[in-house]
Amino acid sequence: MIIRGGVRHLQIWKCTSASERPCPEAAGACDRWHSGWFLPALCIPQERATALDELIVTSADGEHLPVHTRNRRDARRTSYVWALARDVQRWREITGESGLAPDSSPAENEAVTYTEQVLDSSCRYGEEGPHSSGPRPQRELTSGTGLHTFDNAPDHTLLQPTRPIALRLSPRERLAVAAELRCPPWEIGPCMLCATAIHRYGPRSPKVCSGCRASATIQ
């Protein structure tokens, strides 16, 4: 199976004005509950990333499972992701979806059509709002995250992070690390694999430390 969405983690939160996440369906807080699949760096708190060689082992052991999510507005817009088995089980309980890929082959009586459409070549410089030269509608982001919205709180809403990444440095220690790495202190962050303090943010900054990169190269 082709995996396009990477390894993701289930996040469940209530959409309020004090929430750390913006409402995915409205301009302001909707006071409802949302759930979706997010990359480790976008989880709250942040989760540790899963390396490819680790995913091969954990998927064989059943620790990670493939998940197929479908856009609620368009069933043909789907995403394939890997997720922890406990998150998949929790997601199936609250959404009722199986996570299995449907048969994508067209029906025997379904006609295959093609409509030629000309690109819009007019200049829109200075006009407000986003514009696209392609006639096709832009894809939504809900298919990538498997967004679901609930009026009432799902059972066992709070999920303990499995492998949270936390960089606990005092202001003095952060300044010392920044001086050693020759970068501003606000660009110091944890390695996505081992949580070592590195030059994580900013232009041309790596996501993992040199030790993790070296071990991945050797393997």
Side-chain angles (χ1 to χ4, degrees):
M1 181 175 64
I2 299 176
I3 303 301
R4 299 179 179 177
V7 179
R8 303 207 176 196
H9 297 262
L10 181 64
Q11 298 280 280
I12 305 174
W13 75 99
K14 185 173 184 181
C15 185
T16 64
S17 57
S19 177
E20 297 184 68
R21 297 187 185 277
C23 181
E25 294 188 335
C30 64
D31 291 328
R32 303 173 71 188
W33 291 83
H34 303 294
S35 69
W37 298 105
F38 287 84
L39 295 171
L42 300 180
C43 292
I44 301 176
Q46 180 179 339
E47 295 272 4
R48 181 175 69 83
T50 303
L52 178 59
D53 54 347
E54 180 183 357
L55 177 61
I56 295 174
V57 176
T58 55
S59 60
D61 294 339
E63 183 178 349
H64 281 92
L65 298 176
V67 180
H68 171 265
T69 63
R70 184 182 297 106
N71 190 316
R72 294 176 303 165
R73 297 183 179 89
D74 188 352
R76 295 193 177 188
R77 298 180 182 178
T78 60
S79 294
Y80 295 91
V81 301
W82 284 101
L84 291 170
R86 68 144 199 174
D87 286 353
V88 175
Q89 179 63 27
R90 183 76 186 96
W91 177 72
R92 291 174 179 173
E93 292 175 356
I94 64 177
T95 64
E97 295 189 17
S98 63
L100 302 177
D103 185 8
S104 58
S105 59
E108 295 181 358
N109 57 351
E110 182 178 355
V112 179
T113 60
Y114 172 76
T115 302
E116 182 178 0
Q117 294 176 313
V118 181
L119 295 178
D120 183 7
S121 59
S122 59
C123 178
R124 299 184 180 275
Y125 178 77
E127 296 183 10
E128 296 183 358
H131 299 284
S132 175
S133 60
R136 295 181 179 179
Q138 295 183 355
R139 291 195 173 188
E140 301 177 6
L141 300 178
T142 52
S143 59
T145 60
L147 176 68
H148 282 270
T149 302
F150 311 92
D151 293 326
N152 300 319
D155 296 334
H156 308 292
T157 302
L158 298 179
L159 294 175
Q160 293 292 335
T162 55
R163 299 172 298 181
I165 289 183
L167 187 62
R168 297 180 176 86
L169 295 176
S170 65
R172 185 182 298 274
E173 292 173 338
R174 182 177 291 272
L175 290 175
V177 174
E180 180 181 354
L181 299 178
R182 298 180 180 179
C183 67
W186 54 84
E187 293 184 356
I188 297 297
C191 169
M192 295 182 64
L193 297 178
C194 66
T196 301
I198 61 172
H199 182 194
R200 170 71 183 275
Y201 308 105
R204 298 181 300 277
S205 58
K207 301 299 182 183
V208 295
C209 65
S210 57
C212 291
R213 290 200 304 270
S215 61
T217 303
I218 294 175
Q219 294 175 359

